[in-house]
Amino acid sequence: MFKTYLESSKNNIEQWLGEILKSPNTEYAPLYESMEYSLMQGGKRIRPILTQAVLEMFDKIPADYKEFLCAMECIHTYSLVHDDLPAMDNDDYRRGNLTNHKVYGEGMAILAGDGLLTYAFQLMGSNRTASAEQRIKAISCVAKAAGPEGMVGGQAFDLLSENRHISLEELKVLHRGKTGALFNSAVELGLILADADANTYRAFMEYANCLGLLFQITDDILDVTGTIEELGKTPGSDIRQHKSTYVALLGLEEAIRQAHMVGNQAHDALKSVAYDTAILESLIDYLLERTN
């Protein structure tokens, strides 16, 4: 049932994504082509699906908020395009295809990432189902997650941490920004758009914190145990970049144990919520079992 939900949700989101990037003139068409190349390469679409699942629990229709869901995927894709650049992780493959800069060149890849990031906010501002107050809160939430307090800050700390040992606490700070921030905002978006009460808000944000951490730990594990066929990118990039990871700091066995512990904490966070959380709970188990 959950796999069917993921597949149908992903198909809906990809249909919406396929409709949003239209070049206003022929002169800008190569930029839009580069943006679409990375945006439409697939992927799990976990972040917009997370927002969708929260909206559905409050009996909201996800299609009414599709601009917000598409915005989350635009921001995630921008981060991947920039992560793959020679100045960052210097990866040649993403989702089984050549990375953006390998196809379009570094300059265009940078601009494609810039375009996806800024277009996400244009999309959110264009939604007409949410109230003006909800749109302001949503845009502020996502901007904080994507900016120097979140993803950009985490990526900067990641660069500064290469070739040196950092503590487990520092690693958690790094990934709360680089990975966790967007997971948090994906959940918070749904809460904002549904006008959730304070107690529900707290429970769901605890869940979101755990989910983001779980995703990163399993990502670190897969970088060691996965294959290029499973991951769609070259495994072992963290080792080549001399990065601190949960596996590097704790060892593979302990990293796996930590992942299950964090998964249990995520389940516990949902126990106080008076809504049907079956999809969110299944997402925890899905991340624990994923192979890509």
Side-chain angles (χ1 to χ4, degrees):
M1 175 183 170
F2 180 65
K3 288 185 177 179
T4 301
Y5 176 85
L6 282 183
E7 191 62 31
S8 63
S9 299
K10 178 181 172 179
N11 289 340
N12 286 338
I13 289 163
E14 291 188 341
Q15 180 182 336
W16 298 332
L17 288 171
E19 297 169 355
I20 62 173
L21 289 179
K22 306 295 181 187
S23 178
N25 53 49
T26 56
E27 289 81 4
Y28 297 171
L31 169 64
Y32 280 77
E33 180 185 324
S34 178
M35 292 164 66
E36 188 169 42
Y37 173 79
S38 293
L39 186 63
M40 300 307 295
Q41 271 185 2
K44 293 175 283 294
R45 314 300 190 190
I46 291 295
R47 292 152 191 85
I49 288 175
L50 196 51
T51 305
Q52 172 184 300
V54 175
L55 286 170
E56 288 172 338
M57 283 194 315
F58 292 94
D59 296 324
K60 301 292 184 181
I61 301 171
D64 291 343
Y65 301 92
K66 62 183 180 181
E67 293 86 358
F68 293 99
L69 273 64
C70 289
M72 294 304 294
E73 196 63 23
C74 284
I75 292 173
H76 175 56
T77 302
Y78 124 77
S79 73
L80 300 181
V81 172
H82 281 191
D83 274 358
D84 291 336
L85 289 166
M88 297 288 187
D89 290 349
N90 194 24
D91 280 323
D92 292 343
Y93 291 94
R94 171 71 66 178
R95 294 171 175 166
N97 298 289
L98 286 171
T99 47
N100 197 294
H101 68 275
K102 285 291 180 180
V103 177
Y104 296 96
E106 290 181 41
M108 189 62 77
I110 291 169
L111 293 171
D114 293 345
L116 288 165
L117 172 61
T118 49
Y119 187 57
F121 294 96
Q122 181 179 338
L123 276 172
M124 288 187 285
S126 69
N127 178 269
R128 289 295 171 261
T129 301
S131 68
E133 182 180 2
Q134 286 174 325
R135 289 199 302 273
I136 290 169
K137 285 183 178 179
I139 289 170
S140 177
C141 160
V142 176
K144 182 177 179 180
E149 291 185 46
M151 291 173 66
V152 175
Q155 181 65 33
F157 188 35
D158 192 21
L159 280 176
L160 295 169
S161 300
E162 289 182 6
N163 298 308
R164 73 179 185 91
H165 175 81
I166 65 173
S167 69
L168 183 59
E169 284 308 307
E170 287 178 306
L171 185 63
K172 288 179 180 178
V173 170
L174 190 161
H175 288 307
R176 271 199 298 270
K178 184 176 178 180
T179 305
L182 204 60
F183 271 92
N184 280 14
S185 65
V187 172
E188 192 170 3
L189 260 183
L191 298 172
I192 289 169
L193 298 172
D195 289 324
D197 64 75
N199 289 334
T200 302
Y201 213 96
R202 279 192 294 271
F204 274 88
M205 293 314 296
E206 175 61 26
Y207 165 82
N209 282 325
C210 292
L211 202 71
L213 178 56
L214 174 60
F215 186 92
Q216 186 57 56
I217 296 174
T218 55
D219 210 52
D220 288 352
I221 292 169
L222 288 173
D223 191 64
V224 174
T225 63
T227 66
I228 190 169
E229 291 79 16
E230 290 172 326
L231 302 178
K233 60 181 180 179
T234 308
S237 62
D238 292 334
I239 296 172
R240 290 191 299 276
Q241 296 287 329
H242 305 290
K243 291 186 177 184
S244 292
T245 67
Y246 287 93
V247 175
L249 290 182
L250 303 174
L252 180 59
E253 186 175 329
E254 179 60 19
I256 293 171
R257 194 186 74 81
Q258 287 285 324
H260 284 276
M261 184 181 74
V262 173
N264 289 335
Q265 290 172 348
H267 278 296
D268 289 342
L270 295 176
K271 289 179 179 177
S272 64
V273 176
Y275 293 93
D276 181 0
T277 60
I279 294 298
L280 296 184
E281 291 182 49
S282 295
L283 188 53
I284 300 168
D285 301 327
Y286 169 78
L287 292 182
L288 280 169
E289 298 165 4
R290 72 190 181 107
T291 57
N292 59 28

